[in-house]
């Protein structure tokens, strides 16, 4: 710094201002990351919370910003998650429980420090809130109402668009000022995803529904792979199309069970075809009865002929989802013989391609297909667009990719070297010995990085890797969250005392 610059800084109290600025930056750099998957269940009799620790979940730096979402709390959406508040550059942390599904506190304001003692008044208020958030009707009541509804003549079948509810004649007076549609046909009842408004709060539900193109592709593909049962986890439109095909085509023997957090579907399905379910914490809202429905479905025919297809919210954390899916896999394996212990439950996990490394971290046998999944009610995730506007959503599966034939009329072709179907612009790189494109565009090989990169990237001699041309060379780098070194992560940082490491292992 020059003498003039130094004088100017001192005359304006620069040192003190700089200290304040550093403090503000430190506060802004406070990050959140998850360390453990915790279940909190409410005891109705004693009005207390019972804590049950389950699988440990470690989070990478890439998902720190997304950690606030998950699934709803032990009150309305089942078990919560345990998070840790981490200050960058410091060892001190503080853990807290928060909703596993809602990122926005306006949608779910549950928050509790792990070491916080709750008063009786607060517990009572929490129980009251819990009762208020429950669905208006039980699962059994919904099934009974549905059977009465389908027996009504067409002129008496009404649906309240405001309340999103099927109406029996006794309900008409309560909804006479609402927007009500009549003449609800059996065809409409079989397509509830078209009758119900999608829940599109991106911070909570993000309920985007498969376009008919993607849905029909899956409906046609699954029987050709030999599957007769489909466990639809968060895929309501696929569930209804499978049931439609089974009712219209006598040759079709494929069955489906829907697990979904949207309780509105309880109005349209009996107990053996829909379970109100939270995929972030493996919580069945209707208890053991719904759990047994799922178990029976998975273990039918000794577990043969079943596949799980799941389409989680894209903002959801991979770790809790992976824990849940492994519990469903374990449930399926209970019905397997000892000779079949090496088998895996076939899975289609539909998620954006940039989560590939995170998914494969938990399921190493998974591969990513080139097929682009698109959605009816999403402005960006549409098939047929070019460049960066293409849908980033892909299918991750443990089924050998050479068995999954992608439609040639959409430009997919078979690569004999990779033994899988690839998109039109995906070209085999002789240096990588693979079809390297992830986003549908042709990628270029960088001889400095020794890998293929996106076509919009160039190699930066300062950073030592490829990046966008206008990137900041002094930007944040991956590495330890405490000391900044690149050769390790926070969990293995030598600056964390040995005693704290031991305690954290014991608690896990």
């Amino acid at each position: 710094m020059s003498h003039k610059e130094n004088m100017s800084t001192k005359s304006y109290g620069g040192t003190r201002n700089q200290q304040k600025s550093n403090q503000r930056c430190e506060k802004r750099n406070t990050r959140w990351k998850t360390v453990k998957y915790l279940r909190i269940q409410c005891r109705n009799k004693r009005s207390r919370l019972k804590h049950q620790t389950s699988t440990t979940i470690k989070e990478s730096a890439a998902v720190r910003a997304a950690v606030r979402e998950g699934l709803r709390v032990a009150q309305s959406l089942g078990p919560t998650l345990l998070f840790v508040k981490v200050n960058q550059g410091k060892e001190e942390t503080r853990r807290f429980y928060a909703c596993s599904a809602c990122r926005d506190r306006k949608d779910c304001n549950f928050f509790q420090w792990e070491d916080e003692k709750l008063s009786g008044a607060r517990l009572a208020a929490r129980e009251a809130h819990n009762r208020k958030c429950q669905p208006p009707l039980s699962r059994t009541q919904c099934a009974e109402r549905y059977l009465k509804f389908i027996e009504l003549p067409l002129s008496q079948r009404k649906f309240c668009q405001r309340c999103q509810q099927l109406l029996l004649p006794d309900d008409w007076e309560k909804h006479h000022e609402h927007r009500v549609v009549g003449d609800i046909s059996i065809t409409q009842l079989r397509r509830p995803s078209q009758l119900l408004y999608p829940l599109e709060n991106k911070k909570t539900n993000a309920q985007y529904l498969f376009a008919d193109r993607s849905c029909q592709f899956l409906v046609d593909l699954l029987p050709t792979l030999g599957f007769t049962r489909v466990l639809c986890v968060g895929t309501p439109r696929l569930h209804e199309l499978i049931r439609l095909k089974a009712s219209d085509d006598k040759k079709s023997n494929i069955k489906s069970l829907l697990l979904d957090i949207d309780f509105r579907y309880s109005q349209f399905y009996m107990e053996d075809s829909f379970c109100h379910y939270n995929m972030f914490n493996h919580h069945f809202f209707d208890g053991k009865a719904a759990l047994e429905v799922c178990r029976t479905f998975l273990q039918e025919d000794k577990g043969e002929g079943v596949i799980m297809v799941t389409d989680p919210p894209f903002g959801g954390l991979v770790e809790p989802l992976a824990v849940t899916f492994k519990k469903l896999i374990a449930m399926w394996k209970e019905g397997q013989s000892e000779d079949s212990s090496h088998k895996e439950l076939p899975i289609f996990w539909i998620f954006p391609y940039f989560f590939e490394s995170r998914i494969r971290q938990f399921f190493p046998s998974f591969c990513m297909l080139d097929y682009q999944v698109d959605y009816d009610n999403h402005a960006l995730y549409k098939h047929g667009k070019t460049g960066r506007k293409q849908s980033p959503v892909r299918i991750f599966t443990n089924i050998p990719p050479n068995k999954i034939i992608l439609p040639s009329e959409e430009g997919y072709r078979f690569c004999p070297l990779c033994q899988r179907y690839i998109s039109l612009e995906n070209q085999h790189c002789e240096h990588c010995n693979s079809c390297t494109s992830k986003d549908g565009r042709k990628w270029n090989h960088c001889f400095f990085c020794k890998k293929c990169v996106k076509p919009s990237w160039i190699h930066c001699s300062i950073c030592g890797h490829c990046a966008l041309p206008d990137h900041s060379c002094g930007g944040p780098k991956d590495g330890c969250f405490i000391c900044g070194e690149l050769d390790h992560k926070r969990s293995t940082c030598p600056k964390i005392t040995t005693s704290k490491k031991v305690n954290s292992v014991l608690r896990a």
Side-chain angles (χ1 to χ4, degrees):
M1 180 182 292
S2 68
H3 177 69
K4 183 181 294 185
E5 288 173 333
N6 190 30
M7 290 294 292
S8 174
T9 304
K10 286 184 178 180
S11 65
Y12 285 94
T15 303
R16 189 180 298 108
N17 289 341
Q18 185 64 38
Q19 290 175 351
K20 291 183 179 179
S21 176
N22 291 339
Q23 291 174 357
R24 288 195 297 269
C25 289
E26 186 176 341
K27 290 180 180 179
R28 283 198 302 267
N29 286 334
T30 300
R31 305 287 180 89
W32 308 81
K33 77 183 200 181
T34 186
V35 292
K36 193 176 293 183
Y37 182 72
L38 188 86
R39 298 196 68 171
I40 301 180
Q41 294 180 330
C42 186
R43 285 185 178 178
N44 294 327
K45 292 183 179 180
R46 298 186 181 181
S47 300
R48 296 191 309 180
L49 291 178
K50 178 180 179 182
H51 298 257
Q52 294 180 338
T53 307
S54 65
T55 309
T56 298
I57 299 175
K58 294 182 179 180
E59 187 62 299
S60 73
V63 229
R64 287 173 186 151
V67 128
R68 295 178 185 171
E69 82 175 320
L71 215 88
R72 267 188 185 161
V73 293
Q75 298 165 317
S76 57
L77 288 180
T80 61
L81 296 181
L82 178 64
F83 299 89
V84 60
K85 183 178 180 180
V86 181
N87 291 321
Q88 189 169 15
K90 296 182 180 180
E91 293 185 31
E92 294 80 8
T93 62
R94 194 175 182 188
R95 305 197 301 182
F96 62 92
Y97 303 115
C99 178
S100 59
C102 302
R103 282 172 283 178
D104 197 329
R105 291 277 171 83
K106 294 179 181 179
D107 297 313
C108 180
N109 61 1
F110 185 92
F111 181 93
Q112 179 184 327
W113 293 110
E114 184 187 26
D115 54 0
E116 182 181 5
K117 294 182 180 179
L118 301 181
S119 65
R122 186 172 174 185
L123 284 171
R126 183 172 293 175
E127 284 194 1
H129 177 75
N130 183 26
R131 290 190 294 269
K132 184 180 179 181
C133 291
Q134 298 304 313
L137 299 172
S138 69
R139 188 71 186 88
T140 303
Q141 288 174 321
C142 288
E144 291 174 351
R145 286 174 59 88
Y146 177 75
L147 293 176
K148 292 179 181 178
F149 189 87
I150 59 177
E151 291 178 355
L152 294 172
L154 183 63
S155 60
Q156 294 185 22
R157 293 187 201 144
K158 299 183 179 181
F159 178 77
C160 178
Q161 292 184 328
R162 176 177 171 180
C163 302
Q164 296 285 279
Q165 180 183 339
L166 295 174
L167 303 180
L168 296 176
D170 293 341
D171 305 320
W172 292 353
E173 180 61 28
K174 299 177 185 177
H175 301 263
H176 73 279
E177 294 183 355
H178 299 176
R179 185 175 180 181
V180 175
V181 293
D183 298 339
I184 303 299
S185 65
I186 296 297
T187 301
Q188 287 176 292
L189 292 175
R190 290 178 177 177
R191 299 296 305 268
S193 68
Q194 295 183 346
L195 195 60
L196 298 169
Y197 290 137
L199 304 175
E200 294 185 354
N201 183 341
K202 295 181 180 179
K203 293 184 178 181
T204 306
N205 299 289
Q207 191 179 54
Y208 298 114
L209 302 169
F210 291 145
D212 284 341
R213 162 194 164 268
S214 295
C215 214
Q216 196 61 52
F217 165 74
L218 291 171
V219 170
D220 294 339
L221 174 65
L222 296 175
T224 63
L225 295 174
F227 297 113
T228 56
R229 300 190 314 285
V230 184
L231 182 66
C232 296
V233 183
T235 57
R237 183 156 287 182
L238 176 64
H239 174 66
E240 63 189 38
L241 254 66
I242 290 174
R243 290 171 59 85
L244 272 175
K245 182 176 181 180
S247 61
D248 296 338
D249 185 0
K250 294 181 179 180
K251 295 181 181 180
S252 176
N253 62 344
I254 192 167
K255 296 188 295 184
S256 176
L257 172 64
L258 174 63
L259 309 184
D260 201 281
I261 197 170
D262 189 351
F263 70 87
R264 297 178 301 171
Y265 285 104
S266 301
Q267 305 174 83
F268 301 90
Y269 299 116
M270 303 302 290
E271 290 97 326
D272 61 349
S273 57
F274 171 74
C275 297
H276 189 198
Y277 178 76
N278 185 336
M279 74 173 75
F280 286 92
N281 54 14
H282 189 55
H283 180 68
F284 288 88
F285 292 90
D286 297 302
K288 291 184 179 179
L291 176 64
E292 289 305 315
V293 168
C294 181
R295 189 192 308 276
T296 301
F297 186 85
L298 285 171
Q299 296 180 5
E300 185 180 335
D301 294 334
K302 297 182 179 180
E304 295 294 328
V306 64
I307 182 174
M308 184 179 84
V309 181
T310 180
D311 181 33
F314 299 150
L317 296 175
V318 172
E319 286 84 348
L321 291 170
V323 170
T324 290
F325 299 157
K326 287 182 179 181
K327 289 181 178 179
L328 290 171
I329 292 171
M331 189 186 299
W332 169 76
K333 280 192 173 182
E334 291 174 3
Q336 298 284 301
S337 62
E338 294 183 1
D339 297 336
S340 304
S341 59
H342 64 284
K343 291 184 179 179
E344 292 184 350
L345 171 67
I347 296 175
F348 278 174
W349 182 343
I350 298 168
F351 227 46
Y353 70 84
F354 38 81
F355 283 100
E356 181 182 18
S357 62
R358 303 291 290 147
I359 292 175
R360 295 197 65 184
Q361 178 182 348
F362 296 96
F363 296 99
S365 63
F366 277 28
C367 65
M368 187 180 77
L369 305 180
D370 264 19
Y371 184 80
Q372 293 183 18
V373 180
D374 57 341
Y375 296 81
D376 268 349
N377 56 324
H378 198 290
L380 299 178
Y381 297 168
K382 299 288 187 182
H383 174 72
K385 294 185 177 181
T386 58
R388 295 183 62 189
K389 295 182 179 180
Q390 300 176 80
S391 172
V393 186
R394 302 291 185 269
I395 299 174
F396 296 87
T397 182
N398 53 359
I399 300 174
N402 61 339
K403 294 184 178 181
I404 302 173
I405 302 174
L406 304 186
S408 57
E409 61 272 16
E410 295 181 11
Y412 297 102
R413 54 190 174 83
F414 187 76
C415 175
L417 299 175
C418 293
Q419 284 293 295
R420 68 183 181 100
Y421 284 83
I422 58 173
S423 60
L424 183 62
E425 295 188 21
N426 196 356
Q427 296 188 12
H428 193 88
C429 175
E430 59 180 8
H431 306 288
C432 299
N433 193 26
S434 174
C435 293
T436 53
S437 175
K438 306 291 185 182
D439 60 5
R441 297 178 293 171
K442 179 183 179 298
W443 285 22
N444 302 321
H445 188 82
C446 175
F447 291 94
F448 295 103
C449 296
K450 297 181 180 179
K451 64 178 182 179
C452 287
V453 298
K454 295 180 180 180
S456 56
W457 289 15
I458 60 171
H459 190 84
C460 177
S461 58
I462 299 175
C463 298
H465 59 77
C466 289
L468 289 169
D470 57 350
H471 75 283
S472 175
C473 294
K477 296 184 172 111
D478 291 335
C480 179
F481 198 52
I482 292 179
C483 65
E485 296 295 331
L486 301 178
D487 59 348
H488 63 270
K489 297 292 184 182
R490 179 187 182 278
S491 58
T492 58
C493 182
K495 289 190 176 183
I496 299 180
T497 60
T498 305
S499 61
K500 286 189 176 181
K501 287 183 179 180
V502 172
N503 289 335
S504 67
V505 172
L506 291 176
R507 285 195 297 269

